[in-house]
């Protein structure tokens, strides 16, 4: 699907983070020294208290970096490459990576859910939802975090602690 909301949903899936953290992501939070990393300020992480603000560092897979190149083009109208992204991201400063139509406002909390709803609408009449949970209910963005957790439990149970950190539960 075209647009920043589908890219934000994909970015949320690739990083296993909450949609609010993705929707409020800023170019200034990206670092490309020694590998791509997104550092989310602790005060924006769910459940963080003012007294124990800890930043959350998210290593970005190549697919996430490629997605950021696409987001850059959509939000600025300017082409870039993976190689140019670090410089261009620095020039964007504190601007949002996934802005709404009003460039200074993040996507709404319903924007990512609307993407899934639109993906589910594109099916033959009477066919089951293509994006659904095991009980047949339509998928929601937060459900991809549960999917990540289940995937770790099923394929890498020894990595449970790392998964908890990736999900920012610890």
């Amino acid at each position: 699907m075209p647009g920043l909301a589908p890219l934000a949903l994909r970015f949320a899936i690739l990083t296993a983070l909450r949609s609010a953290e993705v929707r409020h992501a800023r170019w200034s939070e990206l670092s490309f020294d020694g590998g791509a990393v997104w550092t989310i300020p602790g005060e924006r992480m769910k459940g963080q208290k003012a007294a124990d603000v800890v930043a959350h560092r998210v290593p970005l897979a190549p697919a996430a970096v490629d997605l950021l190149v696409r987001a850059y083009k959509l939000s600025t109208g300017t082409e870039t490459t993976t190689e140019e992204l670090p410089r261009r991201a620095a020039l964007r400063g504190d601007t949002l990576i996934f802005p709404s139509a009003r460039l200074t406002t993040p996507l709404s909390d319903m924007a990512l859910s609307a993407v899934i709803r639109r993906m589910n609408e594109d099916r033959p009449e009477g066919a089951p939802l293509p994006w659904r949970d095991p009980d047949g209910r339509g998928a929601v963005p937060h459900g991809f975090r549960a999917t990540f957790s289940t995937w770790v439990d099923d394929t890498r149970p020894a990595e449970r602690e790392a998964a908890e950190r990736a999900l920012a539960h610890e």
Side-chain angles (χ1 to χ4, degrees):
M1 295 180 121
L4 283 169
L7 288 180
L9 176 62
R10 182 174 287 196
F11 196 71
I13 293 167
L14 288 170
T15 59
L17 287 172
R18 297 171 186 89
S19 66
E21 293 152 0
V22 169
R23 292 181 300 103
H24 289 88
R26 299 187 180 272
W27 292 106
S28 61
E29 297 168 355
L30 301 175
S31 170
F32 297 92
D33 299 329
V37 175
W38 173 28
T39 303
I40 306 166
E43 57 270 10
R44 238 186 32 240
M45 296 301 298
K46 182 181 179 189
Q48 292 291 335
K49 308 216 180 349
D52 60 355
V53 175
V54 177
H56 183 64
R57 293 175 40 87
V58 182
L60 299 176
V65 175
D66 291 343
L67 187 147
L68 290 170
V69 167
R70 293 174 57 199
Y72 183 89
K73 179 182 179 189
L74 282 176
S75 64
T76 67
T78 305
E79 295 278 346
T80 194
T81 65
T82 302
E83 294 76 25
E84 294 175 330
L85 188 62
R87 183 179 62 80
R88 294 197 184 239
L91 292 173
R92 296 293 295 156
D94 206 33
T95 60
L96 292 163
I97 295 173
F98 303 105
S100 66
R102 292 177 25 165
L103 298 177
T104 58
T105 305
L107 291 168
S108 76
D109 59 349
M110 293 307 296
L112 280 62
S113 295
V115 169
I116 297 173
R117 231 181 358 265
R118 287 194 310 267
M119 292 188 318
N120 275 334
E121 290 170 356
D122 189 23
R123 69 182 193 282
E125 177 122 7
L129 298 172
W131 294 91
R132 64 184 182 276
D133 69 11
D135 296 325
R137 296 176 300 221
V140 296
H142 197 78
F144 289 103
R145 288 171 52 81
T147 299
F148 170 77
S149 184
T150 300
W151 175 78
V152 170
D153 289 343
D154 290 350
T155 63
R156 293 164 171 76
E159 302 299 329
R160 170 65 10 217
E161 184 179 339
E164 288 298 307
R165 290 176 190 248
L167 291 166
H169 288 164
E170 295 180 9

